[in-house]
Amino acid sequence: MEEHQGPPDGPPVYALRSVFRVYEMRREGDRLLYFGDPIVSPDVLERHVWPLFREAGYEVTLEVRTGEHVLVAEPHTTGVDGIPWTNVVFALLTVLTTLFAGIEWYGATVSLDDPLSLLQTWPFAAAVLGVLGIHELGHYVMSRYHDVNATLPYFIPVPTIFGTMGAVIKMKGRIPDRKALFDIGVAGPLAGLLAAMVVTAVGLQLEPVAAGPVYSIETLNYPPLIQFIAALTGADLNPPGARVNPVVVGGWVGMFVTFLNLLPVGQLDGGHLVRAMLGERQETVGALVPAGLFGLGGYLFFVQEEALQAITLWFFWGMVAIALAYAGPASPVVDDELGRGRMLVGVFTFVLGLLCFTPVPFTFVAM
């Protein structure tokens, strides 16, 4: 094979020869396949070939097919191809589940003869979906800024007390460097927290609703950030004979989700931030997270035995953290250092996350 040969729109063979000896090339649909033998480690190989393929408009991965090493290059794109029907359907279903969840938060009466009566709970649904959606859009916008392929947000409709299990976006492309990893990771929590703070402040100015347990929840405990907003606005988090407006619950959900997302482990936002800030030392931090969550659950078990739900919650997240730590965070192609500015923003973001934490998020009515 002549060294200058190669697909007309892909990198030439000679550009790869210092890290990958190509002996065959093939086109498979819109993908380019370079069969050969790597002569360096996979990490070094990726750092060398990734910018070459990206410049040609491709995302590249090293695969092993029937014992042969092959560089598989797929067209790089960051745009939305057509109408994202799956995203749309999941979003509409989540609108319905959050509207239904709001029925009990408002103590509303919905008639089957008048389906539009369900819309009376729209402020709660808008608060929850707005905070979660803005969080994920923060990730999406920064992904587009750094030319990393990512999906639009997928909302998760679940008929729970909040009507949803959150929202996610899927990263389809590699992260070019630590700066991009940090920016994409931090944009979600900061955007979502800003939205949650605004929603909370607005909700505290709305009329309280009738008192009484909601979904068997006797007490919804507020993190320091909500208490600060209430003090700043002069609002009462425990109005006499009533409960705060359910819009405040939307802000509470946003802050609780932000705290969980900022746990510094695996593919969570906190895991990405610590990976960007500390490099491979993130593995040590990630390994400590499950122990911290199990320790918190154990502490509550011996000190506040009545907080059974919180104990179960933190033990559950301890198990999740073990799986996340095993999977690990995303790794950037170029593992360079972050600047002082981003490091300070990272520390500030984790401090905000701690202000969203409460050891016992809620307590249920004793049976």
Side-chain angles (χ1 to χ4, degrees):
M1 175 179 293
E2 297 180 15
E3 289 191 341
H4 68 275
Q5 286 183 327
D9 55 349
V13 172
Y14 69 81
L16 311 178
R17 65 185 179 185
S18 64
V19 292
F20 193 76
R21 295 196 179 115
V22 179
Y23 54 76
E24 181 184 354
M25 288 177 298
R26 192 183 306 164
R27 183 179 288 276
E28 192 177 84
D30 58 357
R31 297 193 299 177
L32 307 178
L33 307 180
Y34 290 70
F35 291 85
D37 297 311
I39 56 178
V40 293
S41 69
D43 289 344
V44 174
L45 173 63
E46 183 180 45
R47 284 198 298 270
H48 182 86
V49 303
W50 186 85
L52 297 174
F53 280 91
R54 175 58 74 88
E55 185 177 356
Y58 289 91
E59 288 281 353
V60 63
T61 56
L62 177 65
E63 298 181 5
V64 178
R65 296 186 176 186
T66 61
E68 293 184 293
H69 290 90
V70 54
L71 291 172
V72 180
E74 300 188 66
H76 170 70
T77 176
T78 55
V80 177
D81 185 14
I83 300 175
W85 287 113
T86 303
N87 302 76
V88 172
V89 170
F90 272 69
L92 291 176
L93 289 175
T94 310
V95 169
L96 284 177
T97 54
T98 48
L99 286 171
F100 275 106
I103 293 174
E104 193 159 345
W105 286 105
Y106 279 100
T109 300
V110 176
S111 171
L112 293 177
D113 297 329
D114 181 18
L116 292 180
S117 62
L118 181 62
L119 295 179
Q120 63 188 298
T121 66
W122 74 264
F124 171 80
V128 172
L129 295 180
V131 170
L132 297 178
I134 289 173
H135 178 118
E136 296 304 328
L137 283 175
H139 292 311
Y140 180 77
V141 169
M142 290 309 298
S143 297
R144 294 295 300 272
Y145 176 79
H146 285 285
D147 200 27
V148 174
N149 194 6
T151 67
L152 288 169
Y154 291 93
F155 287 93
I156 306 173
V158 181
T160 61
I161 59 177
F162 304 120
T164 178
M165 291 292 289
V168 297
I169 66 170
K170 183 179 179 182
M171 309 296 293
K172 294 184 175 180
R174 288 301 309 274
I175 310 295
D177 51 37
R178 280 204 210 176
K179 295 182 180 66
L181 179 61
F182 178 87
D183 292 349
I184 294 170
V186 82
L190 289 182
L193 265 183
L194 179 60
M197 292 169 67
V198 172
V199 163
T200 300
V202 170
L204 287 171
Q205 306 310 310
L206 299 177
E207 288 293 324
V209 296
V214 180
Y215 293 100
S216 299
I217 293 178
E218 183 174 30
T219 305
L220 192 67
N221 296 318
Y222 301 107
L225 189 54
I226 288 184
Q227 296 180 36
F228 173 75
I229 294 171
L232 195 64
T233 59
D236 190 352
L237 286 171
N238 298 287
R243 289 183 286 106
V244 293
N245 191 282
V247 170
V248 177
V249 179
W252 185 96
V253 170
M255 294 185 191
F256 183 64
V257 168
T258 297
F259 169 75
L260 292 177
N261 264 304
L262 283 175
L263 291 174
V265 62
Q267 295 287 322
L268 295 178
D269 297 340
H272 293 322
L273 292 185
V274 174
R275 177 62 178 83
M277 295 168 71
L278 301 181
E280 294 184 355
R281 289 175 292 171
Q282 184 274 341
E283 294 180 2
T284 302
V285 177
L288 295 175
V289 172
L293 293 170
F294 287 135
L296 175 59
Y299 169 78
L300 293 175
F301 178 79
F302 290 106
V303 175
Q304 289 184 257
E305 296 183 23
E306 72 278 6
L308 177 61
Q309 294 79 19
I311 296 169
T312 304
L313 172 70
W314 299 126
F315 272 103
F316 169 78
W317 271 95
M319 295 299 295
V320 171
I322 290 176
L324 291 172
Y326 179 79
S331 296
V333 175
V334 179
D335 211 353
D336 52 356
E337 297 290 332
L338 282 185
R340 182 186 298 271
R342 282 184 170 86
M343 293 290 286
L344 291 175
V345 171
V347 172
F348 174 72
T349 302
F350 280 116
V351 170
L352 285 178
L354 287 174
L355 293 177
C356 296
F357 168 70
T358 179
V360 183
F362 41 74
T363 55
F364 285 85
V365 177
M367 301 300 292

